[in-house]
Amino acid sequence: MTPGVGAYVVGVDSGGSGLRVALAAAGTSAGAAAPAASTVCPEPVRTGPDGIDADHLLGQLLPAVDRLLHEVTGVRAPGGEVSIAALAVGAAGMATLGDHLRARLPQALAASLGVRVLALAADGVTAYAGALGQRPGAVVAGGTGMIALGTDLGEWRRADGWGHLLGDGGGGAWIGREGLDAALRAHDGRRGGSPALLARLRAVFGPATELPGLLYPRADRPALLASFAPEVAACAEEDAVARSILRRAAAHIAEAAAAVCPGAVIPGTGEHTTASGGETVEVALTGGLFRMGEPLLGPLREELREQLPHAALVSAAGDPLAGALLLARALAWSDLRLPHHPTLLHIVGEGSGAG
């Protein structure tokens, strides 16, 4: 598949903070695509009884694409000399809640935008593509939650990403909850309490006794818990309890990376996760969690050296929106080398390349 002159690709990143959409020229070869224009729809896509709400996503995506096309080309919709060669959507919850999107989007996007080549990806996959491109390795995506994905380009391996009630160990909500637990222990006079974190709880949320009434009725409990994670980091230099929380978070994150890293040893088995045998492999960190800086990154580097001695920690090249654009452009040029998967990376249409 070779895109024609006037062909564009669209990347979409759907997460808890809203919907981001970028338009880029399909270009003259596969690879990273610099966005010609991008926009943000601040309302997060709803999740209902059928999973991620495809109609709500389309209601925001289609006007956004029209606006971007008009900004870049002067036309409002594909047609004539302007076309959308491929589109990639990365969405939080795609792997477990994406059935409605996979059923609804291909036909709707073909009818409205003429898009017949489409990738529907978990946000961890677009984070991977943005961070490492189409190279083997592992990526830890950390924000409110935490998920690790790795591939040897033959198959995907996933660890955690189970949500704040069942997992996401070391993510923002986990750190925030551990910090608030330590604060409430100090309030009660129990062991393991932190007066410093109790002071921060009062400064951020008010009296400790009012925190349950503030937290439990809210639908965005994970985000509220995660909002306290920077307070834990701010206390870590002077407070041993806060340091311990971040050390345990780093251990959880490194464990997830070790579980998915190509060539890593599966604990208790002596077997490698892939056929590769311990050569250096790239591991990238992406997401807002790691903007906490040295209080978390220092112990994380130590944990990675211990658990993944053959790994090289590298900087992420781009974010999940850049990853969605990369996937779309690879599709447009029949050069997708990341492995297909029915829920993690679902491909529709011709030009899907290898995998």
Side-chain angles (χ1 to χ4, degrees):
M1 178 177 177
T2 303
V5 176
Y8 290 85
V9 295
V10 174
V12 182
D13 176 43
S14 175
S17 59
L19 190 76
R20 298 190 298 157
V21 185
L23 180 77
T28 57
S29 63
S38 62
T39 189
V40 177
C41 308
E43 184 180 0
V45 175
R46 292 190 296 260
T47 298
D50 295 325
I52 301 170
D53 189 331
D55 292 322
H56 190 223
L57 186 149
L58 287 165
Q60 298 185 72
L61 172 60
L62 297 180
V65 173
D66 280 350
R67 290 195 302 272
L68 294 176
L69 279 172
H70 186 258
E71 178 180 338
V72 173
T73 70
V75 302
R76 281 285 181 190
E81 296 181 355
V82 175
S83 64
I84 304 296
L87 185 148
V89 177
M94 179 72 80
T96 53
L97 300 170
D99 286 348
H100 194 212
L101 292 188
R102 288 184 284 272
R104 176 90 169 85
L105 257 58
Q107 183 176 358
L109 291 173
S112 56
L113 298 177
V115 175
R116 303 191 181 280
V117 182
L118 175 67
L120 299 175
D123 58 342
V125 170
T126 49
Y128 186 103
L132 291 182
Q134 300 202 76
R135 305 192 303 276
V139 169
V140 178
T144 297
M146 196 282 298
I147 186 171
L149 280 179
T151 183
D152 59 355
L153 302 188
E155 63 178 0
W156 289 104
R157 291 187 63 85
R158 165 188 164 162
D160 215 334
W162 300 119
H164 75 291
L165 292 178
L166 298 175
D168 286 353
W174 186 94
I175 293 171
R177 191 236 177 251
E178 291 292 308
L180 291 169
D181 175 78
L184 293 173
R185 285 176 175 275
H187 175 271
D188 294 344
R190 290 179 288 148
R191 287 185 298 177
S194 166
L197 289 172
L198 177 58
R200 295 314 306 152
L201 183 161
R202 289 168 173 159
V204 174
F205 297 117
T209 54
E210 296 180 7
L211 182 61
L214 174 66
L215 177 66
Y216 292 134
R218 293 178 61 146
D220 62 343
R221 286 186 296 274
L224 189 67
L225 291 171
S227 72
F228 197 68
E231 304 296 334
V232 178
C235 290
E237 183 175 354
E238 303 293 337
D239 185 69
V241 173
R243 283 197 301 276
S244 173
I245 292 169
L246 295 180
R247 170 67 66 179
R248 287 185 284 123
H252 284 306
I253 295 166
E255 285 168 359
V260 304
C261 197
V265 176
I266 302 171
T269 68
E271 298 177 356
H272 287 82
T273 58
T274 72
S276 59
E279 63 271 17
T280 299
V281 64
E282 293 179 323
V283 177
L285 309 176
T286 185
L289 178 69
F290 302 108
R291 290 197 289 270
M292 291 170 63
E294 279 303 304
L296 177 61
L297 292 177
L300 179 54
R301 283 193 293 267
E302 294 177 13
E303 289 287 342
L304 287 170
R305 281 195 295 269
E306 180 177 337
Q307 298 190 42
L308 278 172
H310 67 293
L313 192 61
V314 300
S315 299
D319 66 4
L321 184 59
L325 277 178
L326 184 145
L327 292 179
R329 198 169 191 186
L331 281 174
W333 284 92
S334 303
D335 188 41
L336 183 62
R337 299 187 295 277
L338 294 175
H340 299 187
H341 187 279
T343 58
L344 291 175
L345 182 54
H346 177 69
I347 305 301
V348 178
E350 299 298 322
S352 55

